[in-house]
Amino acid sequence: MLLVIDNQSAFIKKFKRQFLSEQDFDYVFFDHNQPITLSAKTEIKGIILSGGKGNPYEPLNLTSNFVALMNFDVPVLGFCLGHEIIAVSYRGRIKKLSEYSGKKETITITKPDDPIFENLNKTEVALVKRHAYYVAELPATFESLATSDTCFSEIIKHKEKPIYGFQSHPEVSGTDGVLMVKNFLKICKII
């Protein structure tokens, strides 16, 4: 089963309707401020942390994100705010951009051999971005897989675990973005 934490993302309904509803696997949604209440028999195989407003330091209640990261040893994928939450939870630092980034931007993949890019066959992709913050300092246990003009750490991955963060929104970025999300689900052994 896939666990999805909704951090008030503007894209989560579209993602759920157009992507998850078409898949042949179970998933469960929890709001960012809702306790994660699962049966002891529930087998979580992967976690998605959605984007949303604000940042990990503001008073938005993001407890369920941190609880999910601490209590499940499974692959994780964070979009935008979820990406920032992952970085902060592993002792990285975020900073505010000098200017809001709200457009499609070209992302340069620096480590194309990672499984998240399987069958992508290119090192540049255009992904939708909507964010005011960025990961300014990577946690020591993470590496950057891709860069952009606004972010050195556009796509990050834990060095030893399948934990990924995308500053962008691949879930609504067309064919290339959907391919990367599907690759994540393959990593989780969900599809």
Side-chain angles (χ1 to χ4, degrees):
M1 178 176 289
L2 181 68
L3 170 61
V4 181
I5 307 291
D6 180 8
N7 293 308
Q8 299 179 336
S9 171
F11 300 127
I12 200 74
K13 286 181 184 173
K14 182 178 179 183
F15 176 63
K16 185 177 181 182
R17 182 178 65 248
Q18 292 184 340
F19 186 75
L20 293 178
S21 299
E22 297 173 3
Q23 303 302 319
D24 189 26
F25 59 81
D26 292 328
Y27 60 90
V28 61
F29 265 69
F30 286 96
D31 284 334
H32 63 93
N33 58 358
Q34 181 183 11
I36 298 173
T37 53
L38 297 168
S39 159
K41 295 179 182 179
T42 303
E43 185 181 350
I44 298 298
K45 292 186 175 184
I47 299 169
I48 291 181
L49 307 178
S50 85
K53 299 174 182 176
N55 69 70
Y57 301 124
E58 289 185 353
L60 183 67
N61 183 354
L62 300 171
T63 305
S64 60
N65 290 269
F66 295 108
V67 167
L69 284 169
M70 289 179 356
N71 288 293
F72 297 101
D73 188 19
V74 296
V76 179
L77 176 60
F79 305 136
C80 197
L81 177 58
H83 164 81
E84 296 160 10
I85 290 167
I86 290 168
V88 167
S89 68
Y90 282 89
R91 299 178 58 193
R93 293 185 59 223
I94 62 167
K95 286 187 179 177
K96 190 166 186 162
L97 288 169
S98 58
E99 185 176 300
Y100 177 79
S101 178
K103 60 183 180 349
K104 247 187 176 178
E105 187 173 352
T106 300
I107 310 303
T108 302
I109 298 167
T110 55
K111 303 212 173 180
D113 293 336
D114 191 89
I116 201 83
F117 305 123
E118 184 180 351
N119 296 320
L120 190 58
N121 302 322
K122 55 177 108 171
T123 56
E124 289 192 346
V125 293
L127 299 179
V128 172
K129 296 184 70 173
R130 283 193 182 170
H131 63 105
Y133 294 85
Y134 70 102
V135 176
E137 186 179 314
L138 264 180
T141 53
F142 278 74
E143 62 183 340
S144 176
L145 302 181
T147 64
S148 71
D149 288 343
T150 53
C151 302
F152 172 77
S153 300
E154 185 67 47
I155 301 174
I156 63 173
K157 180 188 179 191
H158 193 283
K159 291 176 181 176
E160 297 174 6
K161 301 176 184 180
I163 300 174
Y164 294 89
F166 280 69
Q167 186 63 72
S168 54
H169 290 276
E171 76 275 26
V172 294
S173 294
T175 307
D176 291 338
V178 169
L179 175 66
M180 289 183 270
V181 175
K182 284 185 176 179
N183 285 340
F184 171 74
L185 297 175
K186 287 178 187 174
I187 291 166
C188 298
K189 296 182 172 58
I190 291 177
I191 60 171

